[in-house]
Every structure is written in C-alpha cells, then in structure tokens.
Amino acid sequence: MMNIKKTLNNSRRKFLKEATIAISVVAMAPNLVIPTLAQPLDIDLGEYKPSYFSANEWAFILAATDRLIPADATGPGALDTNVPVFIDKQMQGRFGNALDWYMQPPFLSAKPEMGYQSSLTPAQTYRQGIKATEDYCHQTYQKSFAELSDSEKDMVLSQLQLGEIQFSDLSSMQFFSFLLQNTKEGYFADPIHSGNKNLASWKMIGFPGARASFKEWVAYPNVEYPLGPVSIEGERG
Amino acid sequence: MTRQNKPVDVVLVGLGWTSSIMGMEMTEAGLEVLALERGKDQNTVPDFAYPQMADELTYGVRYKLMSAPADSTVTVRHSSQDVAVPYRQLGSFLPGNGVGGAGTHWNGHTWRPMPEELRLRSYVEEKFGADIIPEDMTIQDFGVSYEELEPHFDFFEKILGVSGTAGNIKGEIQPGGNIFEGPRQAPFPLPPLQRTLNDTVFENAAKIKGFHPFPLPAANASEAYKNPYGMQLGPCNYCGFCERYGCINNSKASPQTCVLGALKQRKNFSYRTGCEVIKINKDSSGKKATGVTYIDPNGDEVFQPANLVIVGSYAYHNVRLLLLSEIGKPYDPVSNTGVVGRNYAYQMVGGATLFFKDKNFNPFIGAGGNATVIDDFGTNQIDFKKEGFIGGSYIFAAMTNGQPIRNMPLPSGTPSWGADWKKAVKANYGHTMTIGTHGSNMSYRDCYLSLDPTYKDKHGLPMLSMTFNWKENDIRMTQFMKKQIEGIVEVMKPDHVDYSFKDFGSEYDVRPYQTTHNVGGAVMGTDPATSVLNRYLQSWDVHNVFVMGSSAFPQNIQYNPTGLVGALTYWSAKAIREKYLPNPGPLVQV
Ligand SMILES: Cc1cc2nc3c(=O)[nH]c(=O)nc-3n(C[C@H](O)[C@H](O)[C@H](O)COP(=O)(O)OP(=O)(O)OC[C@H]3O[C@@H](n4cnc5c(N)ncnc54)[C@H](O)[C@@H]3O)c2cc1C
Ligand code: SF4
C-alpha cells in the first residue's frame, strides 16, 4: 500500500474501515454533504491527481498556497496540510459551482457594500484568475508564477490582493480573496474535507477539533486545555 | 392546473418558533391544524447528530442549515435613488429554512424588551418632548404593554428552559440580575450557565466602574429540565458548536426540542415539508382569506382551503407574502401612505476585541448564550435629550463558537497571510475576548420593504427589496456605546485592543454577519394608517389572517428579538382562542 505514514497504523486503518461504514449510513440522510471516501484521507500531495485543475493551474495553486501559508518553525504550511487538495475538491462541489448563491442576471456593478455581484462562479474565477496571473507573470518576468523567486511571488500576490494588477474580465481582488479564504479554510477545516492533514493546524493553535464536550472543562478558567484534537472521523492528534 | 386539498381549520405558513407555538395553541383549542414548511424536515437525530455536526466548514462557513439565496433571497439598496441588487451570497443575515426554522441554529440569547421599548414614542414624548424625534424617524408604540405580555414572557421562558438570574421579581430588585428589567412574576426556570474566564474578567471591570453585570439569559439548559409541554432538555455541555449548528445534545431550546415533539403527538396536527406558500387567497369581497396557494415538492401548484391563515414565515418573508397576496396597502415612501413594507429596521452592533498574552480563554469551550451583560446603557437609562440620540444597547462579553476559520481575531496591523500571519495566529488564538454592543435601530420614512421590479425568484415571482441605510441617530448611539466600552477596557488593561464601531458616513454593508434580527414591514399598532396589524397581530384588512414574528416590531428593540416574538405569539393565540373563535371578525374596531 502506498503512502503508509506512521499515523496509519493498524488501529487507524481499522477505524477508517468502521468510519466508512458509519458514514455511508449517515450519507443516506438527504442533503448532508459528507464527502465520499473514494480517496483515503491520508493523501500524499505529491501523488495527488487534481480533478478540477489542469497541470499548469495546479502548479500555480501549489506555489501560491505555499506562499500564503509557508512552512516554517512556527508550524506546518499549506502544502504540509494538503490545502491544495482541499481547494481542488471545493471547486467541484457546491462552493466551486456557486450552487447555493443567487446567480441569475442581470449582473450589475454596485458598491462593494452590496456584496458579490459577479456572474462567475468561484471555479470559473480561479480558472480565469490563474490564467490572467500567469499572463501577467510571463509579460513581466518571462516566467510562470511557480518559477518566480519567493519575493517575486509575494509581490505578485500582494498586487492581486490590492487590485494593483488589473484583469480585463474579472477582479483580481476577488480572485485573490477566494484563494486566501479557501487556503485558510483548507488549513483549519476538519480533515474530512481533505485539508488540515494530521490535524496539524489544530495542534499548532491548541484547538481540540470535534471534541464538542466540555461540561467538566468549563470550570477551569485560564488553564490550558490538556487534550489534543480529534477529527470527525476519530483521528487523533 | 391547481390541485385542491381538503379544507382545514387553520393553515400555518412556515414551521419555526412562531408556527410551532401556534400549532400547540390552535390544536389545544380543538382545531384541525396544518403547517406548510418550504424546507426539509429535520430532527436532532439524525440531522444534528455528533460527530458530523462538529464541522465548522459545512455549517459555520458554508451555512448548510440556512436558506440558500439560490432558493430565496432579497434585493438590497441604500436609498430609493439606487438600483437594488440581489443579496447573492449570505453574509449580513442568515435566514432559516426547514422544520424549526432559524430556531434550530440560533444562539439562544433570550430577552424581554424594556417596558419603555414597547411604548417608545410615548416614552420619548413624555420624558424628553416630541421635538427631539427627527422628522423622518417613524418610531411608534407597539400597541401592547409589557404588563399585558408579562404572563406570556414567563410562559415562553418556561417552554425554552431559560438559564439566568432574575433582576426584578414583582418589583423587588434582585442583586446579580438585570436591575433595569421590567418586573417578572417568577425567576428564570434554570440557574445561569457556568461562568467562563472572559465574563469573569469583564464582570470585575464592570463592577469597578460601578455598573451592574449579570449573566445573559440563555436558552441553553444549564441543568436537565422538563418543560410544561413535557419536553426534556439535557444539560448543555458547552460544546462550542452552537450558533449556525443544530444542538447535538437536546440542550439548546429549538422548536424541535421544546415544542414539536409534543405537537406531533396531537391527532389534529399535521405538517408538510417542501411546500412553499406563494399566496394567501381571498374571497370576492377581499376581506376574508379562503386559504393559501403553495408549490408542492413536485413543483405543482396546490390550493389549501382554510378558515384561518397564520403566517409565521419569518420577518421579511411575511411582508413579501402580504405584498404578493395584496393584503394591506403597500407602503409608498414618496406620498408616505400605505403600510405594508413600512418601518423596516435592523440592529446596531459594535465591538471591541481584547488581546491578553497571559490569559487562556479556551474559546472553543462555550455555549450559545454564554455571556455577561451590563444594561446600564439600556434604552430606559439614557438621557436622549442630553446625548442627542434615541435608543440604547446592552454591552456584553461572550465566549461562543470559538472555531478557527471564523473566529481568528488578530491584532490590527497583522498581515493577512504569510509567515507573520501564522506567527500571529499561533500567538493569539485562545488569548482574545470580545466586548460587544447589541443595540436598537430606529425606523425611518425611507427605510422600507417593497417588491423588486426586476429580479424574480425560482417561481418567477418578484423578489422582496430592502431599502435601508444607517442614520445619524443610530451612529451617534453606537459611538456613545464605544465610549462606555473604552472606559471598561481601560480597567481591563489588555495588551492590545481593536474597536469596530460604525462611524458617521458608514453605509449598510451586506458582507459581514451582523444579526438575523430583521424587523418591521408588517408592524402592529393602534392606527390602521400606520400599521398592518392590530394589537393582536390580526390583519386590519383581512380579519382571518394573523401575522407572527418580528415583522410586527415598529422599530427594533435593543435586544435579540425571539423573547418578544414568542410572547407576542402567545398573546395573539390567546386573543384568537378567547375572542376571535367565538366571534370571528376584526378584534379592534376603528
Ligand atoms: C444565526 C442566527 C442566530 C440567532 N440568534 C438569536 C439569539 O441568540 N437570540 C434571539 O432572540 N434570536 C436569534 N436569532 C433570531 C431567531 O432565530 C428568530 O427570531 C426566530 O427564529 C424567528 O422565528 P419565526 O418563527 O418568526 O421564523 P423562522 O424561525 O425563520 O421560521 C420561519 C419558517 O418559515 C419557513 N418559510 C419561509 N417562507 C415560507 C413560505 N413561503 N412557505 C412555507 N414556509 C416558509 C422557513 O423555511 C422557516 O422554517 C438568530 C437567528 C440566526 C439566523
Ligand atoms: S453549546 Fe450547549 S446548547 Fe449549544 S449546541 Fe452545544 S450543547 Fe447545545
């Protein structure tokens, strides 16, 4: 079996099996989004084949999320925690396709206070945003985004964030804002959504995840909570 | 072609708090009652079961339990000169959907208004003079008094199993409770929730400043409890997944945990889900409703005949249904005539975020209503003439929903990404607390609801349009509250503090969550020229239509609305049972 990590010991494998059974029962309840376990959660980022992003887009996503949350002595980065996998999966679901949003015309321009008014879904925004950013990088640096130095990458990302790079067909700020929002979501969400691998971000900040039971602990103010995180599938960190 | 169902005595539109209560009251009166709910059925098991509920992304961030704008939304603009655009993504407010409505994913902050708030215009005129009310401010009295509602507040609190400390029992001030509240006949049914570090820190500072802190009344059961309907609540375990989630534990009061289990036992009650009411039908006289028309789960149009139509579809949905059904005259801000849509208001909130290196708040441990409050700057405590505004706020420190995607406050100046962002995340998560203000919002001539001329819903019917913006009076009020908080923060001495209060010139922004406390548009009152409903929540125009919910508020109170919404529903039910059923017709003659 590929990618056997220390965490995937026998008991975890046994647990995953049971969890798969339990989850398939839950998944019969209508309208519950429980991602299928077609791919095991212990995904190796290097081996992962994105299903929404093309190879070039994927190179951008890997490089960009790595700058948004870099790995360092403080804690794990976006790549350690499979944030790109999370984003790829989000593109194919309700979020990526804006299925819950009102997406009927006419699309008028309005003050920012009036909220999202673009006709593009997040998945379309990523596709067009990555292409426009790559075009910009080729024009300015004669390189693709992933080939830039770290400081050049940071410069481009900041310019997107501030709207200093203008795209003809979409807002660079909107594109960046999805990218940043989804990167943080993939970092902090339950691993059931394919990010936050090994509960690493939760361990870094001391969030106990899905424990959701603190009747005894509420009585200990100013004492650091002693137990590590658990995930919805019962993984422990 | 429209199919026709067998007639019922009462049809309820929606099945949230208001309709669940009405279901109990109307079945108790011996009537045959049918509720039509547009969303799905949902219950603690299996829909809110652990562990899948403990999923911040799905419920907290992607709003799985809320009504998706793709299904139903509104358009918004700041003034009638602007073109309204759709509220395409949820942000500012999060309407409920499905059995239980927003009562499944609320927080449980349960308040009674101050007696003065129910007669606000009279109170202001008597105490400060009519001339302090700005000309375009359209505040009114509710037409019902605190004393009339008191028994219904008391009963609703017992249905919810509210945890709290009383401040005024039969006129006797109770230390440790809210000494500024109206008199109550009995203490809260349950003792307050356990205190967390943040509210202890706030409480000490507030006391030093001479204020009167007390535990926020919470519909999160502090102990095991059985309510008057025989429904059993379990003690809250401070799970931290409360607002935006269904309670895993049968601890948070919801229509499911407190009412529906009992209601479903009744043979004369039934409900259908996936049924969206699109119209209240009227007879040829136009003065009597004959029932409602809804779209069933197959997309077919169905006519449901009923003798009594009780609308409980949430504040602004109620208004839209009245407009689509042509019940009551639509409001026209230019001529200042008509009533349906008039006096839409919202809520004025603000807050301070405090950072303490040496304090560990464990923010993931908390209940929805876990907070300490001061009401020293409540509506009945402020000299409006001196301060130059009308209104008030409670000020509170809450610890709730401390999950890391949404709840990651960082000191101002922190970059939003990169190595320094991560460093700040690690250093600050768990070391912050907030002090918030939750305040009133006055109503104005140019803040109103109407039907949108352009945008349609999925059935091709016009969407509701909100015309709303912040006004100087309310900004002055929130700036006043900021000063009070600054005084408290000074005592608390955090390492860093950031304030977020609306300033002059800020415009209403649909993006950040504020509250789902939308009010007005189908207001109650004593004059049919300025209200849609009489003091019993009965339509002035069509006497067998009653409309429940915060659409009845002529302006917003300083508190969360549901305590008042529940009490008004019981008040209306009593009038229907005792006055209307024996003698159907208008309950108030003008
Ligand atoms: C996130 C959140 C937190 C909140 N926290 C608090 C709090 O702490 N304290 C407080 O006091 N209040 C709080 N509230 C507000 C509280 O939830 C509402 O005041 C309360 O639920 C209103 O009850 P209702 O019966 O009027 O409407 P709802 O609970 O909204 O129920 C209305 C029902 O009608 C259905 N419906 C709508 N249109 C139709 C139609 N055309 N046909 C059929 N069915 C229809 C809806 O699907 C819904 O189920 C909160 C709300 C939210 C969203
Ligand atoms: S905090 Fe308490 S009331 Fe809220 S969901 Fe958790 S157990 Fe239920």
Side-chain angles (χ1 to χ4, degrees), chain B residues 14 17-18 37-38 94 98 101-102 107-109 243 277 313 516 560 562:
Chain B
W17 272 124
T18 55
E37 165 57 51
R38 68 174 177 187
L94 303 171
N107 245 333
H109 299 195
E243 184 185 69
V277 176
S313 64
T516 311
N560 313 56
T562 309

Side-chain angles (χ1 to χ4, degrees), chain B residues 11-41:
Chain B
V11 69
L12 303 171
V13 182
L15 192 48
W17 272 124
T18 55
S19 292
S20 302
I21 293 169
M22 273 294 174
M24 289 305 277
E25 292 287 321
M26 294 300 113
T27 50
E28 220 162 82
L31 304 177
E32 192 183 339
V33 180
L34 168 70
L36 298 171
E37 165 57 51
R38 68 174 177 187
K40 58 194 181 304
D41 208 352

Side-chain angles (χ1 to χ4, degrees), chain B residues 31 55 113 123 132 192 274 336 351 374 393 395 451 514 532 551 558 584:
Chain B
L31 304 177
D55 179 352
Y123 170 70
I132 75 154
N336 202 12
I374 58 166
S393 288
I395 295 179
L451 290 177
Q514 287 153 70
V532 174
S551 42
Q558 68 177 39

